[in-house]
Amino acid sequence: MTKITKELLLRKGNPQCATLGEVKKINISKLQLRTEDLDPGLFSQMKKLEELDLSENLLTEIPNNISLPNLRVLNCAANQLEDVTSLQQFQKLEELSFEDNLYMTISDNYKMMFLLQNLHRLNGKDVTSTANHVRFVNSRELASRVTAYWQKNYKSKAESPETVKAVEKEFVKSAVKQVKYGPNSLSDFTKWRVKMIATEFIASLLKPEKKISLDVEGEEDDRNSAISEGSDSVKKKDRSQLEKSSSLVTCGSKKNKDTAFITLDESPRKKKRLQSSYSFTSMGVNPCNPPQVPNIATHVLLQDCNLVPRLKSEHLPCKKSTGSSTSELKKAPAKETSASSPKVSMQIKAMKGRDGKEAQPREALRNEKDQPNKLTADAEKSKQGVTLQPLHFLQCHSKENNPEDFKTALWSCAFEPFLSHNPDKNCGSTSSQTAPATVATCGGDSVCLIDCETGKVLKKYKITGEELFSLAWTTLTMITSEGQKRKFNVLAVAGRKGIVKLIHTRANICYGEIKAHKKPISTICFSPKQETFLFTGSYDEKIILWDIGVPDCDYTFRVRQLLVLEAGSTTLRIVPVPINPDWYLLTACEDGCYAWDINLNKQQGKRSFDLEFQFPVFQKENEETDFHIVDGLCFLNDDVVASKSCLQGSIYLWSWSKTLESRRKKQSKKVNAVILAELEWARTDVPYIQIACSSDMNCILCGDNTGAVWIYDVGNLEDAVSSGKLITPTKILKWPTPKVKGQGDVSGAVINNLCVDSKFIYLVTLTDKNIVIIWK
């Protein structure tokens, strides 16, 4: 880190001069500068400064008191900015760049266009037209709607200055909630402007001489014109923020509110999510009476793991946990909704590989059209409908072990593979799953291993300064010093720092790390066929295939980079094709769904996608909606794929083999997915809600923005498919409505991710409110 001094500024400044007051251009990028390093006293001396480059530093904000009255060009890209509203102090700013700041969203772009009246280039693009729309048309329309909202709901209550003052806070808060305009992806900007306008409106009523001026020069009245998003994709949106809570949470019944409003908070993945403007409905599903569950306290215990750094110097261990905030919770009835139609036991018949054609897997896939791929009944394997009740509630990812942390979002979970062999004391390798089902969860700066039956946190790994977004298990085979083979499970975790940590959970050792990307890692996945092959997807818009190797008894291992895939956008989900994972990889990205040829026998190096899938919902896109953000993806069996797009309101089931066959005929990279069925799902614009599948039970599961879990038993649905109607869920598990002692109910959380064990005994759901729910 470099300290800012007068000498440094003069040396970096242009033209070279003796005083700061003569400097017109300065470049202080790549100096590891933090916000506290920007000395207002020094910067305020540069009265003639016109261009300032602060890019590629560690700034979280720009101080409010930097006086640069003539600044025209500012570059603060590739920092860690959390807020840019302080830039309004530079009123002569014409060009601004703050790209590659993960906290920044499209709403921040619009805030800058409104606050900086002279701004005409933003992040390298000419925004003159859009900025004028934001400053005039959008402001006039919002002011009109705020005024109308006052007239309709508050005018009769406030006829004097005293009564106006009395309802001021209530009106501003209600207006922010109710007044809507423009696309949902700009909800954060709209709320920010509505709050500003509502506050000014109240001030004008209290002091009539200070009326709001919204005159428009050279702009036509366009009351129905909404803000255009341009080509920017929908960003992760604001999330709900709970009030301070105690460490005792209970679960009680509560009626579901159709139009619950949630105040939103920042996502730990450095983008923001929008609250859905749609109300949650059961879509034709009738609620049933929740079964009673004994009111038994669930004691959550934490056993701190001792992570011994038995590794080479370049392998950094996870830091030892110093204690964890976990909540003692009580079980209570959950609301469960069943479909009104009779229960149907269903099965999807799995695809079989082509015998004798292993040397040509792609050709084999293309010729699989004679194999069954539709949703068909299998009476021999049909099962009864699943009945699940909440068993445990855990708050085990709290920042700084704070028991009042109900804001940390949890992002990834996976059950540990079961090892049946006996422990091997020679190499520290043992059956790492001593409980019937152990699940790993990650969020914030920690990873937890939880026994699903007892609800105990068996181990907790804390990585200081990290924010974890994804995890994955693999089972490696180690050769002992005696030459014997022993299997052990390795947990890989990754997140904001772009580093993959490799943890031997049974031995309590983080035995190594891979510096995989320069930007945060969004998702990771192991190959189901090659146990050492790890795929990592990042915000740098690349997917990299690694061979992590197998460590010896001294935990020495070798990592190799095998392949780089140029994704073109952030990858949200990586799924190897089950029928041949060495040839094809499916990815869900922020700009679509793709298939990649990953055959390592071909030329190595960087590759582009092989197929881009087109879905019917893409045809419904307009200026306000972007359905290309595919945020859910999984295989139900060897052929049937489940996927969904943000804003879609449904889940597609489509055939991999049929889609691949249609591509062979057209010889085009763009191919229409062969849709088998469409499942009705929540009407929400909250993105990044994952899908899970259970092949054994033929079930698809997906959470939503209200805390509910939608379960689809997809087997004998040929009649529904032929009718072309949306298939309703077999069951909906309602949000159990936990209660915080002394503060009331915890409103419905967003279910970010979920997983089921192989026998479908346990369902684990992760929320954006630091709550893990285990169902049984």
Side-chain angles (χ1 to χ4, degrees), residues 15-69:
Q16 294 292 317
C17 50
T19 62
L20 293 176
E22 299 299 320
V23 176
K24 293 186 177 181
K25 184 177 179 180
I26 192 168
N27 184 340
I28 48 176
S29 62
K30 302 179 182 180
L31 297 180
Q32 301 292 304
L33 298 177
R34 300 181 183 275
T35 298
E36 55 268 24
D37 297 324
L38 302 183
D39 185 354
L42 287 175
F43 280 88
S44 298
Q45 297 178 37
M46 297 187 284
K47 300 296 184 182
K48 295 183 179 181
L49 188 66
E50 297 181 356
E51 298 184 27
L52 174 60
D53 189 346
L54 293 168
S55 62
E56 298 186 58
N57 284 298
L58 303 173
L59 304 175
T60 56
E61 63 178 347
I62 304 297
N64 282 311
N65 53 351
I66 292 183
S67 178
L68 299 172

Side-chain angles (χ1 to χ4, degrees), residues 632-760:
L633 182 69
C634 67
F635 270 89
L636 183 61
N637 57 32
D638 285 349
D639 183 58
V640 179
V641 186
S643 68
K644 73 175 183 69
S645 299
C646 177
L647 304 173
Q648 179 179 339
S650 63
I651 299 171
Y652 286 132
L653 298 185
W654 50 285
S655 168
W656 160 251
S657 60
K658 288 288 187 182
T659 303
L660 194 65
E661 175 66 18
S662 65
R663 183 270 176 125
R664 187 180 68 84
K665 297 177 180 178
K666 293 184 178 180
Q667 293 297 322
S668 172
K669 282 195 171 184
K670 288 190 175 183
V671 57
N672 293 327
V674 178
I675 306 298
L676 304 176
E678 188 172 0
L679 312 179
E680 192 170 41
W681 185 63
R683 300 294 298 178
T684 175
D685 59 3
V686 176
Y688 313 105
I689 297 176
Q690 295 286 0
I691 303 173
C693 295
S694 173
S695 300
D696 292 339
M697 292 295 289
N698 303 309
C699 284
I700 295 173
L701 306 94
C702 190
D704 66 15
N705 62 313
T706 69
V709 178
W710 300 55
I711 302 178
Y712 308 84
D713 192 358
V714 284
N716 188 17
L717 297 178
E718 288 186 330
D719 294 339
V721 171
S722 62
S723 68
K725 296 181 180 179
L726 288 176
I727 299 171
T728 56
T730 308
K731 192 171 298 182
I732 297 179
L733 304 177
K734 298 289 187 178
W735 174 248
T737 316
K739 293 182 179 180
V740 179
K741 184 177 180 180
Q743 298 198 30
D745 297 338
V746 177
S747 59
V750 177
I751 303 297
N752 285 332
N753 209 332
L754 69 173
C755 64
V756 294
D757 66 315
S758 59
K759 297 180 180 180
F760 210 141

Side-chain angles (χ1 to χ4, degrees), residues 301-355:
L301 302 179
L302 176 68
Q303 299 175 355
D304 294 333
C305 57
N306 183 18
L307 300 180
V308 183
R310 297 169 53 191
L311 42 119
K312 302 297 182 182
S313 60
E314 68 273 20
H315 302 148
L316 301 179
C318 300
K319 292 192 177 183
K320 178 179 176 180
S321 172
T322 57
S324 173
S325 168
T326 57
S327 294
E328 183 180 297
L329 306 142
K330 293 184 179 181
K331 296 179 289 183
K335 295 184 179 180
E336 183 179 300
T337 303
S338 301
S340 56
S341 58
K343 293 182 179 178
V344 182
S345 298
M346 310 171 199
Q347 171 76 15
I348 298 183
K349 199 171 289 185
M351 291 286 295
K352 295 181 179 180
R354 186 168 179 172
D355 295 333

Side-chain angles (χ1 to χ4, degrees), residues 398-646:
S398 302
K399 293 182 180 180
E400 304 296 333
N401 299 323
N402 180 10
E404 297 182 354
D405 178 8
F406 286 89
K407 296 187 295 183
T408 296
L410 312 181
W411 290 109
S412 186
C413 56
F415 279 89
E416 182 177 8
F418 181 72
L419 298 178
S420 58
H421 60 74
N422 293 325
D424 173 44
K425 299 180 181 179
N426 294 328
C427 205
S429 178
T430 182
S431 175
S432 59
Q433 186 163 323
T434 57
T438 302
V439 67
T441 62
C442 75
D445 61 1
S446 59
V447 186
C448 292
L449 266 62
I450 304 169
D451 183 331
C452 289
E453 182 61 31
T454 64
K456 291 183 179 180
V457 178
L458 303 175
K459 297 182 177 71
K460 181 174 181 178
Y461 304 89
K462 185 175 181 180
I463 308 173
T464 303
E466 180 63 284
E467 289 179 90
L468 298 171
F469 303 147
S470 187
L471 57 78
W473 290 97
T474 190
T475 301
L476 301 182
T477 303
M478 178 185 291
I479 306 297
T480 68
S481 57
E482 292 79 13
Q484 296 179 336
K485 293 182 178 180
R486 288 291 183 268
K487 291 186 176 182
F488 67 101
N489 286 334
V490 169
L491 178 65
V493 296
R496 173 186 175 185
K497 292 186 176 181
I499 297 174
V500 178
K501 298 282 187 178
L502 301 175
I503 305 172
H504 183 182
T505 56
R506 183 64 181 178
N508 290 339
I509 293 177
C510 175
Y511 69 85
E513 66 176 23
I514 305 170
K515 296 181 179 179
H517 299 266
K518 293 182 179 180
K519 290 191 176 182
I521 294 174
S522 53
T523 183
I524 62 176
C525 175
F526 278 103
S527 167
K529 190 172 182 180
Q530 305 291 340
E531 61 185 15
T532 63
F533 282 14
L534 174 66
F535 296 93
T536 59
S538 170
Y539 285 87
D540 62 10
E541 302 182 351
K542 291 181 176 62
I543 302 168
I544 300 179
L545 172 59
W546 306 88
D547 183 350
I548 67 170
V550 179
D552 58 22
C553 286
D554 294 324
Y555 291 98
T556 302
F557 67 105
R558 179 185 178 187
V559 177
R560 294 185 300 152
Q561 184 183 109
L562 302 179
L563 196 62
V564 177
L565 307 177
E566 298 286 353
S569 67
T570 301
T571 303
L572 306 176
R573 187 78 165 173
I574 298 174
V575 183
V577 175
I579 197 170
N580 211 303
D582 289 341
W583 280 75
Y584 272 113
L585 185 76
L586 259 59
T587 61
C589 302
E590 285 197 334
D591 65 348
C593 184
Y594 301 91
W596 307 79
D597 185 346
I598 57 172
N599 179 17
L600 294 179
N601 294 327
K602 294 186 176 182
Q603 182 180 358
Q604 304 302 300
K606 297 181 179 180
R607 297 182 189 176
S608 61
F609 63 87
D610 199 45
L611 293 173
E612 179 181 359
F613 301 104
Q614 304 295 304
F615 299 100
V617 72
F618 288 179
Q619 300 176 6
K620 301 178 183 179
E621 287 187 349
N622 52 46
E623 293 182 354
E624 298 184 4
T625 54
D626 179 8
F627 295 111
H628 274 73
I629 302 179
V630 180
D631 55 4
L633 182 69
C634 67
F635 270 89
L636 183 61
N637 57 32
D638 285 349
D639 183 58
V640 179
V641 186
S643 68
K644 73 175 183 69
S645 299
C646 177

